[in-house]
Amino acid sequence: MTTQTQPKTRKLGRYATVVTRVLTGLLFATTGLNGFLMFMPAPDPSTMAPEGVAFSGALYATGYMLQLASGVQLLSGILLIVGRFVPLALAMLAPMVVNIFLFHVFLEPAGTTVAVLVVAAEIGLAWAYRDKFRPMLKAA
């Protein structure tokens, strides 16, 4: 009995990892591409918290930060979708995921649920690829 359930559990975990990786990749590739092509409607600032609007405006005012963030999201999303350099993509996205989460917790609470899902996906994928991160975490 144990020998039959263990491979099924492992197979289910592998499918869950692939589905999470591809969906997360699609999310970040789409939002990254939107940063350049603006094909999704921007949220109405009157419906957002003033702090969130001010923060977003400050990023836009730099002239480069939103383009940088969009480029990282697009590249990382594509890497996640195709399944190449996944640990690199996760490492590049980690600061963005933290910022997305903290932005919604402190500045724009309306999107907190999605932010929590993105954090969960990032943590789940990092756990699935934990063996790839071990050499990076060894003291030199």
Side-chain angles (χ1 to χ4, degrees):
M1 269 182 140
T2 311
T3 56
Q4 285 181 333
T5 56
Q6 190 174 12
K8 283 184 181 180
T9 305
R10 231 180 258 169
K11 198 178 227 184
L12 181 62
R14 205 172 308 142
Y15 287 135
T17 299
V18 170
V19 167
T20 303
R21 177 177 54 78
V22 171
L23 289 176
T24 304
L26 285 170
L27 172 69
F28 279 107
T30 303
T31 56
L33 193 59
N34 183 63
F36 295 111
L37 303 179
M38 303 297 186
F39 54 86
M40 292 189 290
D44 181 7
S46 68
T47 63
M48 295 174 61
E51 296 86 0
V53 173
F55 181 77
S56 298
L59 290 179
Y60 181 78
T62 65
Y64 74 92
M65 196 56 157
L66 290 181
Q67 292 84 354
L68 175 64
S70 295
V72 169
Q73 289 178 12
L74 179 59
L75 176 61
S76 299
I78 291 169
L79 292 175
L80 290 175
I81 292 167
V82 299
R84 300 282 298 175
F85 303 107
V86 172
L88 174 63
L90 292 173
M92 291 186 333
L93 283 174
M96 302 202 82
V97 169
V98 169
N99 187 56
I100 289 166
F101 177 72
L102 294 177
F103 174 82
H104 287 291
V105 167
F106 291 110
L107 302 176
E108 185 56 51
T112 304
T113 303
V114 174
V116 168
L117 292 174
V118 170
V119 169
E122 175 83 8
I123 291 171
L125 288 170
W127 180 258
Y129 288 88
R130 66 190 175 277
D131 291 341
K132 304 294 184 193
F133 290 105
R134 279 203 178 106
M136 183 173 67
L137 299 174
K138 288 185 181 175

